[in-house]
Amino acid sequence: MQGREILAEFARILSDPASVIRDDAVREPVKIIGHLMADVPEELVHAAGAHPFGIVLYDGTDLNRADAHLQTWACSPVRCAFGMALTGKLDFLDGLIVPVICDTTRTVYTLWKKVRPFNFTEAFLLPRQLYRPSARNYLLGEMGRLKARLEQFTDRRITARDLYRSIRLYNRNRALLRCLYDFHVRHPEVLGNRSVYDVIRASFLIPKEVHSDLVARLISALEQEAAGLKKKKEKPRVRVFVSGKLGEPPVLMDVLDQAGAVCVGDDLCTGSRYIAGDAAENGDPYVALADRQLDRLPAAFFANKQDRRDFMIKKVRETKANGVIFLHLKFCEPENYDYPYLEESLRAAGIPALRLETEVGNVSLGQIRTRVGAFVEMLEEGGGR
Amino acid sequence: MTAPFRSAGLLKEIMAGYYAKGEEAKARGIPVAWVTAVFPVEIIYAAGLFPYYPENFGALAAARKVAEKLSAAAEARGYYADLCGYARCGLGDAYAKEHPVGEILKPDLVLACNTQCGSLQKWFEGAGRFYRAPYFLLDAPFLEGASTALIKRYFVDQIEEMIDFIEVYTDRQFDFDRLGEVLFLANEACRLWNEILDTAALSPAPFGFFDACFHMAPIVTLRGTQAAVEYYRELKKELEERVEKKVYAVPGERFKLYWDHIPVWPRLRWFSDLFARHGALVAVSQYTHSWAHRFDLERPLESLAENYTEAFVNRGFEVRVQLKIDLMMRYGVDGFVLFSNRSCKPTSFGLYDKRRIISERTGLPGIVFEADMADQRYFAEEQIGEKFRVFFDHLKTRTGKV
Ligand code: SF4
Ligand code: SF4
């Protein structure tokens, strides 16, 4: 298959993931357990014989459907996901896991459970300080609790072997996605921002076996395409590092493509934060999962091991990014509290930055296009250096 | 509001003493530790540090109607106006040129507990960066139902980590005997405070929610000290006298109401006048009942862990509904008012359904209104006035008390 055809297949998956899972489920009926962003241990859900489904496709038309239950000043991904559940768009799920990472997830979790429960509605109570020994012990205990709940629900014991099989499957998928991302950075003219982030998003939706297979084929198809391309004298693209909770709305990546910018790194939960770092494939599998969690890329909602400012500057330097674009979801408190410090340290390091305020399913693209265009132009001219 | 309390003079005195101690701590090199309201401050008192409450600073700025001014300085740095108003006041003060309520006391250590909210976690982390003060987060996992051994263990481990952190910082050994004394005093103050709050259940009552907001400073800041115990002994005595002399909080009290949660600080007067006009006493709120700790001196750390993770704001929907209903029943209220506070997502999200469910279960009428506890830009006076007018009409017809 040509790269283009495989990308079309990904587009089909993103337009109707439920049908793809249904097709698959016909072969082997499994329970589908949804989860909100971020950091739910999907390997554990998979090892329980269920299919973890990341709720990353937001239907903007449902943004207001939860207004009778939830204030409009809640962040849009949570409002929208809750709204989708209320309109029945998530009825194909058998269960839901909400990671409690902020006040919105903490309160909406039990509200949702009250108003529109699934057969299985659980919280994953992550430690929010990750840098002291107590966090690791607690996280191990919490994973044990989630494991027991999953076993109850799926009526199946999770053995260490099952969990290892899942860990390997997930590690392989992450490795392939990192490889694809790397290709994208080298050949943005062949695989643009929108495409690579779409492929990563699809990974939240469908079985990893299927996804990994498609990604492997995509990589080899694209490598061939790239090798066959005549070395055109293309103007080098401006390199940007993208920071935020989610790469939402996805059309923003098109805007970056059109502006002639290439994302060379990010800390998005629907981007590098998802694909970076593997779980060890030996020792205790729960320890492996816990350590992966504690070592994830620093995020606003945690007191991290590594200072997010240092991380970002290091990444910008490593990836030779010309500037940083913050995708700030309106009403996302953790991100907002971090911004002034991140901005300040970037400024001190001479790295230009742009903040875009976004919302799931509701942005005025015209304005964003103008601002991105102006920012990219400024970077092209070596601005901020 | 109620006729002035004699104790108010004493309150002024001990709070002035507290703030003077803060300045003195700075001068004498005693570390100033920023702490959050729901935080095991007993550890801080036992360690001989000076605990400072930036939330009080926010509340003060809000009550003096200058929150918007301080917030503007934070907004200019990229903080949005929809963040918690206390945080915007605290962060704004760091950048502001003018200090309309005096300057915040600069921290040497920044200690946050996230039982209440993630805003404090992030605000304090930022403050630690700004003031270059070491930051420590006590992380309280969410409790959907009953607490678990796992969570208690995690919190105790963290208190131990915090004691290590303080020992290293002060280069002094932590004194567990002193902790026992502090916990004893905290128990005393909490007991007295709750007995005082309970006088609002009398009909008519000498004391209500708005009085509690006025008199709560020592229970927040000074619990664990002798000063708080003495203050609440005095106040309790005064309330007993008032009952005898028939001096009541709302003359001609006809209704009792439940309020959730915090007051609208810049409109404290506006609301207390509104309720008084209708002969309504706001008798109780979950907010002022937050300081109802009972520490077990036999197991101090476990007991601190239980008390500080199990605060209502960290509980699941059903537990919180039940806690509200329990308070409503205990104080015999005729209706309830739920404040959807833009600043405070953890207390506000879920209120729409809570209103419905509480009414279904208790038969009590209730309303939800939207505003902000600090920021008057979000106060739509006419709309809110109208909402309350309808509410009181309804209450009067229902109860037949006109
Ligand atoms: S972290 Fe931000 S975007 Fe995510 S649920 Fe919380 S408030 Fe919403
Ligand atoms: S008002 Fe709410 S959000 Fe603000 S500090 Fe208090 S608990 Fe946190």
Side-chain angles (χ1 to χ4, degrees):
Chain A
M1 256 201 282
Q2 294 274 304
R4 219 176 316 112
E5 288 164 46
I6 304 174
L7 287 172
E9 177 61 14
F10 278 114
R12 189 179 75 83
I13 291 164
L14 288 169
S15 70
D16 187 11
S19 77
V20 178
I21 308 167
R22 266 195 303 274
D23 290 352
D24 202 68
V26 175
R27 270 173 273 150
E28 191 197 342
V30 292
K31 293 210 158 72
I32 305 171
I33 298 181
H35 60 92
L36 294 186
M37 296 297 101
D39 296 7
V40 169
E42 295 167 283
E43 292 90 338
L44 203 55
V45 178
H46 181 265
H51 174 66
F53 179 89
I55 301 175
V56 291
L57 294 178
Y58 299 98
D59 187 336
T61 58
D62 287 332
L63 187 59
N64 302 318
R65 298 303 289 266
D67 286 2
H69 303 283
L70 183 62
Q71 283 85 340
T72 51
W73 29 277
C75 70
S76 53
V78 165
R79 277 177 73 205
C80 192
F82 189 20
M84 284 162 67
L86 293 172
T87 55
K89 292 214 177 84
L90 298 179
D91 281 354
F92 63 94
L93 298 178
D94 300 292
L96 175 72
I97 300 177
V98 178
V100 173
I101 52 171
C102 63
D103 291 333
T104 303
T105 43
R106 178 169 67 154
T107 43
V108 173
Y109 158 61
T110 45
L111 173 63
W112 189 331
K113 192 167 176 174
K114 186 83 199 168
V115 174
R116 182 93 181 199
F118 293 94
N119 291 332
F120 175 84
T121 315
E122 267 299 317
F124 182 49
L125 304 173
L126 291 138
R128 281 166 296 171
Q129 59 86 11
L130 308 180
Y131 63 96
R132 298 193 305 266
S134 57
R136 192 168 185 255
N137 293 337
Y138 166 71
L139 177 57
L140 282 169
E142 173 61 8
M143 279 200 307
R145 188 192 66 84
L146 186 64
K147 165 187 183 265
R149 295 286 295 125
L150 284 164
E151 287 179 332
Q152 246 173 23
F153 180 60
T154 58
D155 197 19
R156 172 174 156 163
R157 201 169 76 85
I158 300 175
T159 66
R161 242 179 90 230
D162 293 333
L163 191 48
Y164 266 127
R165 208 175 299 132
S166 304
I167 285 176
R168 278 195 297 272
L169 185 69
Y170 277 71
N171 280 349
R172 168 149 192 273
N173 186 250
R174 286 187 282 256
L176 283 166
L177 283 171
R178 290 195 295 266
C179 181
L180 184 75
Y181 196 90
D182 188 58
F183 175 86
H184 148 78
V185 172
R186 281 184 287 117
H187 292 289
E189 73 287 359
V190 180
L191 186 69
N193 305 307
R194 176 64 192 259
S195 300
V196 73
Y197 285 98
D198 272 358
V199 173
I200 297 175
R201 261 182 333 133
S203 177
F204 282 94
L205 309 172
I206 59 168
K208 290 287 180 213
E209 296 88 339
V210 181
H211 190 267
S212 288
D213 182 49
L214 281 171
V215 176
R217 284 193 287 149
L218 180 63
I219 292 171
S220 69
L222 293 180
E223 286 285 8
Q224 269 180 22
E225 248 170 73
L229 277 184
K230 275 214 272 328
K231 280 262 175 286
K232 265 196 297 175
K233 269 255 157 37
E234 229 202 293
K235 169 166 100 166
R237 296 186 189 216
V238 160
R239 302 163 74 88
V240 294
F241 181 91
V242 180
S243 173
K245 171 87 193 280
L246 306 173
E248 282 292 331
V251 64
L252 285 178
M253 292 300 168
D254 290 322
V255 173
L256 289 176
D257 281 323
Q258 288 149 11
V262 51
C263 298
V264 293
D266 69 80
D267 62 1
L268 303 170
C269 293
T270 47
S272 296
R273 216 164 165 278
Y274 187 60
I275 65 176
D278 287 330
E281 295 185 9
N282 50 36
D284 180 331
Y286 293 93
V287 169
L289 286 181
D291 284 342
R292 168 164 196 269
Q293 173 60 29
L294 297 173
D295 288 330
R296 278 194 166 189
L297 307 190
F301 35 89
F302 293 137
N304 301 287
K305 276 189 179 173
Q306 188 186 9
D307 190 313
R308 202 171 168 211
R309 295 171 295 182
D310 301 339
F311 161 79
M312 198 173 283
I313 288 171
K314 193 171 138 244
K315 269 290 165 211
V316 167
R317 298 256 147 88
E318 264 173 33
T319 57
K320 301 193 173 61
N322 305 96
V324 172
I325 295 182
F326 291 98
L327 297 185
H328 186 113
L329 282 167
K330 214 164 179 287
F331 303 120
C332 174
E333 296 169 307
E335 282 296 337
N336 193 180
Y337 280 108
D338 266 7
Y339 171 75
Y341 293 94
L342 293 172
E343 193 271 341
E344 190 183 87
S345 45
L346 289 177
R347 190 151 30 86
I351 301 163
L354 170 73
R355 171 162 66 165
L356 300 174
E357 206 183 354
T358 72
E359 253 186 316
V360 163
N362 185 20
V363 284
S364 76
L365 265 191
Q367 204 212 8
I368 284 185
R369 211 167 255 140
T370 315
R371 295 187 60 207
V372 168
F375 183 65
V376 168
E377 211 168 285
M378 190 262 290
L379 294 181
E380 269 168 353
E381 289 158 9
R385 286 285 140 135
Chain B
M1 237 178 271
T2 323
F5 281 84
R6 184 183 65 224
S7 318
L10 181 58
L11 178 66
K12 226 172 163 177
E13 209 175 285
I14 66 169
M15 289 317 291
Y18 164 79
Y19 285 110
K21 265 210 181 117
E23 298 298 335
E24 198 189 303
K26 276 275 162 222
R28 288 181 36 209
I30 296 171
V32 170
W34 274 22
V35 293
T36 50
V38 180
F39 182 95
V41 68
E42 292 76 11
I43 299 280
I44 306 308
Y45 273 119
L49 312 183
F50 182 79
Y52 181 81
Y53 290 81
E55 286 158 87
N56 286 359
F57 178 85
L60 181 69
R64 299 257 178 90
K65 307 188 205 297
V66 294
E68 299 79 17
K69 262 201 197 120
L70 289 170
S71 178
E75 288 166 47
R77 302 294 302 207
Y79 295 102
Y80 289 133
D82 46 56
L83 292 175
C84 165
Y86 288 170
R88 281 183 282 126
C89 286
L91 292 162
D93 183 72
Y95 300 113
K97 297 234 158 46
E98 281 172 58
H99 303 279
V101 285
E103 264 181 88
I104 214 162
L105 193 65
K106 295 187 177 61
D108 298 300
L109 296 172
V110 180
L111 313 174
C113 176
N114 60 14
T115 295
Q116 276 161 277
C117 66
S119 295
L120 286 163
Q121 171 182 335
K122 293 305 290 182
W123 164 18
F124 276 41
E125 184 183 53
R129 287 170 182 168
F130 183 87
Y131 298 108
R132 297 184 191 288
Y135 168 68
F136 189 95
L137 174 65
L138 267 178
D139 176 29
F142 169 66
L143 300 177
E144 186 177 353
S147 188
T148 62
L150 175 67
I151 288 173
K152 284 184 203 172
R153 179 66 207 275
Y154 176 40
F155 207 80
V156 169
D157 282 353
Q158 293 184 84
I159 296 178
E160 283 171 351
E161 287 170 335
M162 184 170 77
I163 290 174
D164 283 346
F165 173 81
I166 293 172
E167 281 187 340
V168 169
Y169 186 85
T170 56
D171 199 16
R172 254 207 325 266
Q173 199 181 346
F174 186 76
D175 184 347
F176 277 89
D177 292 337
R178 178 82 189 101
L179 178 63
E181 292 163 20
V182 171
L183 289 174
F184 176 80
L185 291 170
N187 275 345
E188 268 304 282
C190 287
R191 184 180 57 78
L192 287 162
W193 174 244
N194 284 276
E195 285 171 7
I196 287 165
L197 293 178
D198 280 346
T199 61
L202 300 172
S203 258
F207 190 84
F209 170 65
F210 293 107
D211 303 304
C213 290
F214 181 77
H215 292 279
M216 69 191 276
I219 196 67
V220 181
T221 0
L222 291 164
R223 68 178 182 286
T225 70
Q226 189 64 40
V229 175
E230 273 162 25
Y231 179 66
Y232 290 118
R233 267 198 203 124
E234 271 313 300
L235 180 59
K236 199 179 159 215
K237 218 189 293 156
E238 190 178 358
L239 283 171
E240 280 157 4
E241 287 168 25
R242 285 195 168 202
V243 173
E244 228 157 83
K245 292 193 201 133
K246 302 197 183 337
V247 182
Y248 301 118
V250 170
E253 177 192 313
R254 272 167 298 169
F255 309 108
K256 280 193 199 297
L257 297 176
Y258 171 91
W259 172 283
D260 201 274
H261 136 269
I262 224 167
V264 183
W265 292 112
R267 294 295 180 134
L268 205 54
R269 223 331 26 116
W270 191 88
F271 274 105
S272 67
D273 287 350
L274 170 81
F275 289 115
R277 261 205 312 280
H278 293 279
L281 173 77
V282 178
V284 55
S285 161
Q286 232 164 17
Y287 174 55
T288 42
H289 275 265
S290 300
W291 295 273
H293 304 301
R294 302 290 307 141
F295 300 108
D296 181 351
L297 273 57
E298 297 293 314
R299 25 193 291 286
L301 300 192
E302 289 78 0
S303 175
L304 282 165
E306 287 157 7
N307 274 278
Y308 288 107
T309 51
E310 293 171 18
F312 71 87
V313 58
N314 194 36
R315 312 303 293 272
F317 188 95
E318 195 46 58
V319 176
R320 286 169 75 165
V321 166
Q322 209 43 56
L323 286 168
K324 287 184 217 297
I325 292 178
D326 287 350
L327 286 174
M328 290 178 198
M329 296 298 117
R330 228 168 88 199
Y331 285 78
V333 300
D334 303 290
F336 61 92
V337 174
L338 306 178
F339 169 20
S340 169
N341 178 0
R342 274 189 86 106
S343 268
C344 192
K345 295 183 168 77
T347 56
S348 302
F349 289 173
L351 284 184
Y352 301 165
D353 286 282
K354 284 174 189 159
R355 191 206 59 75
R356 180 179 52 78
I357 290 171
I358 293 170
S359 285
E360 279 166 15
R361 291 193 193 162
T362 62
L364 294 173
I367 51 168
V368 181
F369 77 97
E370 307 267 340
D372 187 275
M373 67 185 182
D375 200 320
Q376 297 206 74
R377 285 174 287 184
Y378 300 114
F379 196 82
E381 181 164 336
E382 247 170 68
Q383 251 168 288
I384 295 172
E386 178 59 17
K387 197 158 210 175
F388 276 91
R389 200 187 56 70
V390 174
F391 175 64
F392 278 115
D393 282 350
H394 181 62
L395 204 60
K396 282 172 194 162
T397 20
R398 258 183 67 95
T399 56
K401 302 183 202 169
V402 188

